Amino acid sequence: MFQNRTSLPRRKFLKTALKAGAAAVAPTVIPGSALGKNGAVAPSERIVLGGIGIGNRGTYDLGCFLSEPDVQFVAVCDVKAARRTAVKKIADQKYGNSDCDTYRDMRDLLTREDIDAVLIATGPNWHAAAAVLAARAGKDMYCEKPCTKNIVQSLELAATMRRTGRIFQAGTQRRNLPHFAFACELARTGRLGKLKAVHAHPAGMSTGSSGWAQPQPEPDKEVVDWDMYLGPAAWRPFNKAHLDGFNFEKGGGLTGGGVLEWGSHCVDLCQWAANADSTAPVEYNPPQDGRIVARYADGVELVIREDGWLPLGSCPVRFEGETGWVEAGDSGKMVLSSPELLAGSKVEEIGGYPATFHVRDFLDSVKSRRPPKASADVACYGHIACHAANIAAFLNRKLYFDPEKHEFIGDPIANRLRSEALRAPWRI
Amino acid sequence: MNLHDLRRGSDGPVPRSSRLLVTAVAGVLLVGAVAVATAAGGAVSQQVSAEERQLIAVLQSDAPKAEKAISCKRLVVHGTSACTSALGPLLDDPQLVSWARIALEAIADPSAAAVLRDGAARLEGRSLVGVINSLGVLRDQEAVALLTTRLQDNDAAVVAAAAVALGRIGHPDGTDALRTTLAQVDAAGRSAAAAGCILAAEQHLAAGQSAAARELYDQVRQVDVPQQQVLEATRGAILARGADGRAMLLELLRSTNRQQFDLGLNIARELSGREVTIALVDEMLSEGAQRPELLAMVIADRDDEAALPALVRAAATRSGPVQLVAIKAIAEVGDVSCLDNLLELATAADAGVRQAALGALETLPGDDVDAELLPRFAGADAASLSALAEVAGRRGLAAANPHLVKLIQGSNDDLRAVATTALGETARLEHLGILISQATGDTGSDRAVAALRSASVRMAERDVCAKQLVSALSEANGPVRSAIIEILGSVGGETALARVAEIARSDDEQLQDVASRVLGEWMTADAGPALLSLATADVDKKYQVRALRGYLRIARQFQLPKSERAKMAQAALEVAQRDKERQLALEVLERYPCRKAFEVAIAAADEPATREAAEATLHKMLERTFEDAIDAEQTAAHLAGGQLPDVRIIQASYGTDEKQKDVTKALRSHAGGLPFAVLSGGGKYNWAFGGDPAPGEEKQLRVKFVIDGQIKSAVFAENEPVLLHRGDNSAKTSETSNGK
């Protein structure tokens, strides 16, 4: 009766001979004048933005947003007073006023009717829960990765975005960089021959728990709101070692690690290359010799490996077909098995993995309602693949996964690790 | 003091004093009994394992809360119905309730649900909200009555939780209760009930019960609830009606309320059906259409050929954004039948229209499009030829090469320029000469050089291409010669490398500058010797730094054996004149520790120019290897200027007395001739040795090795740093004899 947004038709990607490259990061088809780009921005075309949990990465993202003329940043929420103050200073300096409002509780920011969209850059512990809260409040959102802590959160996040009709862009900005997009297109369109394997760099494969640290004196709520910081994570006493939001409870604190942290970029690109944005590998092997090998239903291997990469910068991926291969990394460069694969294509070399294109893609989506490159549906399965690989690593055994039912086959313990209870009052 | 004097105790379940009480180690310990619990496959064994008994004992003891919390987490893997009653009392502890729920939700059997229901009957506040959330997650049918009662609770958070849980459970009694609550005066209660109704309706819709879903959605739409919930219900109501919902959809698309209009765009992408497509096309083309360009995007995304005639019509007859979007939409849903329309638009006076049409022609799918383009060159006017040439280039249409060559050889400058660029994208080896002539001739231009570059980097016959480029060097003027050297760098291969290296050592200052830069950025490791040679031979040292940095870049970044990298670092240290390059060389050693790297660093620590930096490097290499398991600073000081012992691993096994695996090869690989092993996977044996030979049991690594001619044996507890030593001061060493 109705079609899944994951399978939104993009026929040109499937049918045409490859012409990607720069086109992959071209803005949407709406003319700039209609969108209010390049100059005067009508109030009706302005996107009023709020920020939630703006630390190091968030400040970078915010810079990308602030450089877009149709964005007006009006409020920041953070559990840490120092960060609230720092972000307010950035915004106020940008606009030459003192209008940026500050909040300690994101629910207060989300009740503001004037805010259209939010940038969520908390630690991974909060990403999914905050995104769901924002969606229920009618806000679109750009959410840093990893977006979810487990498989069920990934599914719930996507379902919530569909139900609420919100635009969600995962912070996997490599989807909007031309050389990565081009490499994926080579794989997707059969230019490498029948696809055999896609390779992703995990930046570590360990799994661990954030645990329960020695109690330390809890700061005043206005300085650090510990209860809000913990949010959906199980309670534990204050300890400043936990305040590193980047690592706290990543992957639910049970099955996190590099496969999720870096994989939410590299595995995500592999998913794209393998035409697997609405599915996930069906078989996962435990790590051996620094690599986890998973397999899609069509036999394509997903190889998550630490080493053996060409010197193309961080976050490398490699796609191998029967007749060719391509490898790309954060330097903006790529290496092809045959130069002829470039025929007819001009691929802009953009190194340093900037998020500017990804942010623009999100803003255009907010206006057009066309799903952005890293929509919740896309992010859902990329994250599921990472979580499943982590569970195989954690349990140290081979697992079979049913991507339709979203459960492991014949392994109830693995299935228990698909989700984790959230601390009240939070739920998704 | 030597290496083995500095070893510390291995990791254990109790963390080091400076770390968290409970760390990642817990995760490793979990794994063992998992295999036991699932040995039979299928459902989780209800047999109580020793691990579970221990964890239950912790829960029922006076153990610190930290231990109880982590025990809950471990019960996710080890727990059965046997532990749920022990988890129940934890629900009453505000600090442990969330941990207990983690285990209960995971175990998810009837006893876990019963414990949660008991909790829901006696708890209040956040703890009550938590257990209600868990009952919703478990979709516990037996909780419906209890949750229905909680819809009348005085605590709004409890009401909201109960409503969502009932919505998730989807039991008819619960849904009835939600519908009743929807009529309440209290706004918070209505909103809570609406959330539950929407979840319940979603389940009906997924199950194909459209009528039931529609009824629920419609009821929510009729009550006073927040706009977001009205939007959600409206979406559901339209989807539940299928194609019959298109009137409601059009109503949204005509709304002046931005949220409603946006929702309409969303639904227009979700709702399938030819009738829907046609209705959307009609709406887009209607006089009063709001944002028709956005509707055109929706229509393109629907990928329904029913939209094609209208899109072609809009592209031909409309103007402004609608026309542009319609043209681009044709590229998505169109076919060869649109070719003439697009070619005509590609010669339009309006540049925006022209570019949109060229873009559409570039991506229009199908080999038949390529075939149909070729005959159109014959007899075309200049404007059409320009468009055809550009499209041929963008599509990489090699079959158009004769036409492109003809245009290049013609007298129309504009067409020659367009065709040159196009040939850059389509040329085969036999056309390279034409592009070289264009680039090096009197009328050579940046455009021609760019075309030559595009073509050259695509040539599969790399050396043949390079030879032609090398020959062209003598014919080219200064700037073009520099450009050709850069192209040679992009092409790569032996011929190109040899020529660029030669130029880098030539006496032409300008070309030497370009060539040395290109050489320094070479993309294969075989440029190493040329760079080292340049760094060594560069008499006036002008390009020594550049060459040396290029050489070290290869050592740092390219795929090479570690020992090879160390040798390159050694060579660089011998040539380097500045501390900056010496430091870069030492960083290679730090990044890729191996026996040779340690030897080079040790030797460098004996040289006055590098003593301090090399000792720091040794320190970092050891720190990286052992984290804080040894005193890296003291060990580095000890090693500096000394010698590494000769070590050879004879045999290594990992496991228990009964269950062992041979890990000789793996350990040799990890040790690489060093007297210690750098293990992958954070030093965890199970990772480094490809699996756990005896899950849940205490394991050891047993190693027999030769060190400085002496045969030794050593035993290491699981995950202990592996240090192989002469054995004078270690209790680990159990045997010593003479050996070879």
Side-chain angles (χ1 to χ4, degrees):
Chain A
M1 186 62 70
F2 53 94
Q3 48 201 29
N4 187 339
R5 277 166 49 164
T6 341
S7 60
L8 197 74
R10 294 289 167 90
R11 249 186 8 156
K12 76 175 178 184
F13 290 142
L14 299 172
K15 291 185 179 177
T16 65
L18 183 67
K19 299 291 176 287
V25 291
T28 71
V29 293
I30 308 175
S33 56
L35 284 176
K37 288 186 283 191
N38 303 326
V41 178
S44 61
E45 293 298 337
R46 195 174 297 144
I47 295 172
V48 180
L49 185 75
I52 298 175
I54 309 300
N56 293 338
R57 179 67 198 177
T59 301
Y60 169 76
D61 291 338
L62 180 59
C64 296
F65 276 98
L66 291 178
S67 66
E68 296 294 328
D70 50 348
V71 168
Q72 185 186 4
F73 186 75
V74 297
V76 60
C77 164
D78 205 299
V79 297
K80 298 175 186 172
R83 285 187 171 176
R84 291 195 293 273
T85 308
V87 173
K88 175 176 169 56
K89 190 176 171 188
I90 292 169
D92 288 349
Q93 276 180 350
K94 159 83 178 169
Y95 299 119
N97 59 31
S98 58
D99 291 352
C100 181
D101 292 320
T102 58
Y103 299 89
R104 185 164 47 81
D105 187 325
M106 66 180 78
R107 289 168 295 191
D108 295 332
L109 181 147
L110 291 172
T111 57
R112 280 182 56 160
E113 291 188 0
D114 62 325
I115 291 180
D116 302 307
V118 288
L119 162 62
I120 299 171
T122 59
N125 170 50
W126 254 114
H127 284 160
V132 167
L133 280 175
R136 288 182 186 146
K139 314 301 181 196
D140 298 322
M141 73 221 70
Y142 182 106
C143 179
E144 264 305 330
K145 44 62 60 179
C147 303
T148 67
K149 290 163 70 170
N150 53 53
I151 289 172
V152 169
Q153 276 199 358
S154 307
L155 294 163
E156 289 290 346
L157 182 71
T160 300
M161 296 308 147
R162 279 195 294 270
R163 182 185 307 126
T164 56
R166 291 297 115 203
I167 294 294
F168 175 96
Q169 175 86 305
T172 50
Q173 74 275 15
R174 289 164 179 85
R175 285 241 172 191
N176 268 302
L177 289 175
H179 66 301
F180 282 123
F182 178 81
C184 290
E185 288 295 306
L186 286 178
R188 286 162 60 85
T189 52
R191 290 285 298 275
L192 304 176
K194 186 176 185 304
L195 196 61
K196 305 295 287 180
V198 289
H199 296 244
H201 185 229
M205 288 187 177
S206 61
T207 60
S209 163
S210 291
W212 177 310
Q214 287 281 10
Q216 292 176 344
E218 191 173 323
D220 183 84
K221 251 183 175 10
E222 283 301 322
V223 178
V224 175
D225 188 335
W226 178 241
D227 183 64
M228 278 302 286
Y229 177 80
L230 286 178
W235 188 89
R236 66 211 74 193
F238 175 83
N239 184 299
K240 63 183 179 186
H242 283 323
L243 273 180
D244 163 25
F246 181 72
N247 285 309
F248 178 64
E249 287 287 301
K250 187 176 286 183
L254 194 64
T255 57
V259 173
L260 178 65
E261 162 56 30
W262 215 227
S264 44
H265 284 301
C266 299
V267 172
D268 171 66
L269 291 170
C270 287
Q271 288 273 114
W272 193 15
N275 275 322
D277 274 342
S278 54
T279 187
V282 297
E283 180 187 315
Y284 299 83
N285 289 285
Q288 189 157 16
D289 299 329
R291 56 177 57 198
I292 293 173
V293 179
R295 203 178 315 277
Y296 292 96
D298 61 3
V300 173
E301 280 190 347
L302 167 63
V303 183
I304 302 169
R305 61 178 162 93
E306 294 270 36
D307 51 19
W309 296 97
L310 295 172
L312 296 171
S314 53
C315 210
V317 289
R318 179 185 175 95
F319 311 134
E320 295 173 346
E322 282 183 338
T323 60
W325 55 263
V326 58
E327 191 164 324
D330 279 342
S331 61
K333 298 180 188 299
M334 59 184 170
V335 177
L336 301 154
S337 58
S338 164
E340 287 183 315
L341 290 169
L342 275 171
S345 304
K346 284 189 172 61
V347 184
E348 197 177 349
E349 182 180 313
I350 298 175
Y353 50 95
T356 44
F357 304 104
H358 206 51
V359 164
R360 187 65 250 171
D361 180 43
F362 166 69
L363 296 171
D364 287 349
S365 288
V366 168
K367 294 178 177 180
S368 71
R369 314 313 289 178
R370 173 180 265 183
K373 291 265 176 23
S375 69
D377 286 317
V378 164
C380 171
Y381 284 98
H383 280 67
I384 284 177
C386 295
H387 292 308
N390 266 330
I391 292 171
F394 176 71
L395 295 177
N396 198 26
R397 60 171 176 257
K398 188 170 193 166
L399 298 176
Y400 295 94
F401 186 72
D402 182 337
E404 297 293 326
K405 293 181 179 171
H406 307 113
E407 61 187 29
F408 295 100
I409 300 165
D411 198 324
I413 297 296
N415 280 328
R416 286 182 175 185
L417 298 172
R418 289 179 308 154
S419 67
E420 183 175 279
L422 304 187
R423 190 172 68 104
W426 312 109
R427 61 176 166 267
I428 61 172
Chain B
M1 190 173 287
N2 56 31
L3 279 174
H4 48 267
D5 295 322
L6 303 167
R7 178 171 48 78
R8 294 181 185 171
S10 63
D11 283 351
V14 180
R16 297 179 184 120
S17 57
S18 61
R19 299 220 175 145
L20 304 185
L21 269 178
V22 182
T23 70
V25 176
V28 175
L29 295 178
L30 277 171
V31 179
V34 172
V36 177
T38 58
V44 177
S45 165
Q46 290 302 302
Q47 193 175 350
V48 182
S49 65
E51 184 81 28
E52 184 179 11
R53 272 197 294 274
Q54 283 176 11
L55 295 169
I56 291 171
V58 171
L59 296 185
Q60 293 174 332
S61 72
D62 293 331
K65 287 185 179 180
E67 281 186 39
K68 292 188 177 184
I70 300 305
S71 295
C72 290
K73 195 100 167 179
R74 296 171 71 178
L75 283 168
V76 168
V77 173
H78 299 286
T80 66
S81 57
C83 72
T84 53
S85 60
L87 288 164
L90 270 54
L91 297 177
D92 295 273
D93 184 330
Q95 296 178 346
L96 290 176
V97 57
S98 47
W99 296 93
R101 285 177 48 230
I102 286 174
L104 289 166
E105 277 193 25
I107 294 167
D109 75 350
S111 71
V115 166
L116 287 163
R117 286 197 300 275
D118 287 349
R122 68 175 185 273
L123 295 170
E124 58 184 24
R126 270 197 186 189
S127 297
L128 174 57
V129 169
V131 295
I132 290 175
N133 287 347
S134 289
L135 288 166
V137 167
L138 296 181
R139 291 178 160 77
D140 180 30
Q141 303 275 327
E142 291 185 41
V144 170
L146 179 157
L147 294 172
T148 300
T149 307
R150 290 295 188 181
L151 286 176
Q152 306 306 318
D153 202 279
N154 292 327
D155 184 340
V158 170
V159 174
V164 168
L166 285 169
R168 285 189 188 282
I169 294 167
H171 189 281
D173 293 348
T175 306
D176 286 346
L178 288 169
R179 295 177 73 163
T180 304
T181 309
L182 205 53
Q184 273 186 192
V185 177
D186 171 45
R190 281 199 307 274
S191 177
C197 283
I198 289 167
L199 289 173
E202 207 167 79
Q203 292 189 54
H204 284 305
L205 193 56
Q209 299 156 355
S210 300
R214 196 170 61 224
E215 199 174 326
L216 272 171
Y217 283 129
D218 286 346
Q219 188 176 348
V220 173
R221 294 178 67 223
Q222 286 158 12
V223 295
D224 181 16
V225 290
Q227 178 177 240
Q228 178 57 36
Q229 289 184 313
V230 175
L231 295 172
E232 291 171 26
T234 303
R235 168 184 174 270
I238 294 174
L239 295 179
R241 285 170 168 80
D244 290 342
R246 60 188 184 277
M248 289 173 70
L249 171 60
L250 293 177
E251 199 175 309
L252 290 175
L253 293 171
R254 290 167 189 160
S255 170
T256 53
N257 177 305
R258 179 170 163 178
Q259 296 275 0
Q260 290 185 8
F261 179 72
D262 285 352
L263 178 70
L265 294 173
N266 285 345
I267 298 170
R269 289 183 165 89
E270 286 187 276
L271 192 63
S272 62
R274 185 183 173 86
E275 313 95 301
V276 179
T277 304
I278 291 170
L280 289 169
V281 169
D282 290 345
E283 181 66 18
M284 177 187 77
L285 296 175
S286 69
E287 283 303 318
Q290 285 198 73
R291 305 300 296 267
E293 73 281 4
L294 296 182
L295 287 174
M297 286 175 70
V298 168
I299 290 163
D301 286 344
R302 290 179 63 82
D303 197 24
D304 185 343
E305 288 176 4
L308 191 54
L311 289 172
V312 171
R313 196 164 64 247
T317 61
R318 301 293 291 267
S319 60
V322 178
Q323 184 186 27
L324 294 178
V325 178
I327 292 170
K328 294 183 181 181
I330 290 171
E332 309 243 5
V333 299
D335 54 30
V336 69
S337 68
C338 309
L339 197 56
D340 285 329
N341 301 80
L342 290 174
L343 279 170
E344 189 176 336
L345 291 164
T347 60
D350 184 305
V353 172
R354 222 166 41 235
Q355 286 307 317
L358 287 168
L361 284 162
E362 177 185 346
T363 53
L364 197 64
D367 292 340
D368 50 354
V369 174
D370 290 343
E372 285 295 318
L373 275 170
L374 296 175
R376 284 167 168 75
F377 275 91
D381 59 19
S384 298
L385 280 173
S386 178
L388 284 165
E390 183 155 352
V391 171
R394 290 193 189 195
R395 292 180 75 90
L397 187 54
N401 285 346
H403 300 293
L404 297 177
V405 170
K406 194 174 166 187
L407 292 176
I408 289 171
Q409 291 166 344
S411 58
N412 184 320
D413 287 346
D414 291 340
L415 284 177
R416 198 163 57 233
V418 173
T420 300
T421 298
L423 191 62
E425 304 303 328
T426 61
R428 293 189 170 138
L429 194 60
E430 61 264 32
H431 304 108
L432 208 56
I434 298 169
L435 290 172
I436 288 173
S437 301
Q438 291 292 304
T440 58
D442 295 340
T443 56
S445 63
D446 290 347
R447 180 192 283 259
V449 170
L452 178 60
R453 180 192 306 278
S454 292
S456 298
V457 299
R458 284 189 292 102
M459 293 301 148
E461 303 91 338
R462 194 160 55 172
D463 278 339
V464 180
C465 171
K467 278 176 188 163
Q468 290 196 39
L469 291 169
V470 167
S471 300
L473 277 171
S474 58
E475 301 160 20
N477 61 27
V480 176
R481 291 176 81 186
S482 296
I484 290 176
I485 291 170
E486 288 185 353
I487 294 173
L488 282 168
S490 300
V491 170
E494 283 180 23
T495 303
L497 176 59
R499 184 65 181 127
V500 173
E502 192 183 322
I503 297 170
R505 292 195 302 271
S506 72
D507 53 6
D508 184 322
E509 199 170 316
Q510 187 188 356
L511 294 186
Q512 196 186 10
D513 181 27
V514 177
S516 61
R517 179 168 48 77
V518 167
L519 202 56
E521 295 168 356
W522 208 262
M523 279 306 289
T524 49
D526 56 352
L531 284 162
L532 185 61
S533 165
L534 182 62
T536 311
D538 185 20
V539 179
D540 60 5
K541 311 298 178 197
K542 192 168 181 184
Y543 298 111
Q544 192 202 41
V545 169
R546 179 183 284 177
L548 201 52
R549 286 185 169 237
Y551 182 68
L552 284 166
R553 167 179 166 268
I554 290 172
R556 287 160 64 99
Q557 296 186 5
F558 285 56
Q559 270 193 292
L560 295 167
K562 285 181 180 176
S563 59
E564 187 60 32
R565 296 183 199 275
K567 284 177 192 166
M568 292 178 74
Q570 186 176 28
L573 283 168
E574 287 168 8
V575 176
Q577 301 290 314
R578 307 191 316 170
D579 285 345
K580 284 182 180 174
E581 283 68 45
R582 292 189 187 110
Q583 187 59 43
L584 285 175
L586 290 170
E587 281 173 18
V588 173
L589 306 175
E590 182 190 327
R591 194 181 287 195
Y592 303 102
C594 63
R595 183 180 177 87
K596 180 67 183 173
F598 272 95
E599 286 174 353
V600 174
I602 288 168
D606 211 20
E607 295 293 329
T610 48
R611 178 169 296 140
E612 199 175 328
E615 199 164 312
T617 297
L618 272 171
H619 178 180
K620 286 177 190 164
M621 290 165 76
L622 290 160
E623 205 169 50
R624 185 185 173 113
T625 305
F626 294 108
E627 296 182 346
D628 56 355
I630 63 168
D631 188 327
E633 191 173 354
Q634 286 190 36
T635 308
H638 170 76
L639 286 173
Q643 272 191 327
L644 283 178
D646 282 331
V647 174
R648 180 168 57 87
I649 292 165
I650 301 169
Q651 202 270 332
S653 63
Y654 171 51
T656 61
D657 289 343
E658 289 77 29
K659 300 175 207 165
Q660 292 200 11
K661 64 193 293 188
D662 188 323
V663 297
T664 309
K665 196 176 164 190
L667 189 60
R668 279 179 187 157
S669 166
H670 288 302
L674 284 166
F676 38 80
V678 185
L679 301 181
S680 60
K684 300 294 183 285
Y685 286 8
N686 287 345
W687 289 71
F689 299 136
D692 189 342
E697 297 182 55
E698 269 188 30
K699 295 173 282 292
Q700 295 90 32
L701 172 68
R702 298 168 189 278
V703 188
K704 192 171 183 182
F705 59 100
V706 179
I707 183 164
D708 287 342
Q710 295 271 307
I711 294 179
K712 303 269 183 190
S713 295
V715 181
F716 301 91
E718 185 175 350
N719 299 332
E720 191 178 12
V722 181
L723 292 157
L724 306 175
H725 49 79
R726 296 180 182 88
D728 300 336
N729 300 306
S730 171
K732 298 282 179 198
T733 303
S734 59
E735 180 190 337
T736 302
S737 62
N738 291 325
K740 293 179 181 177

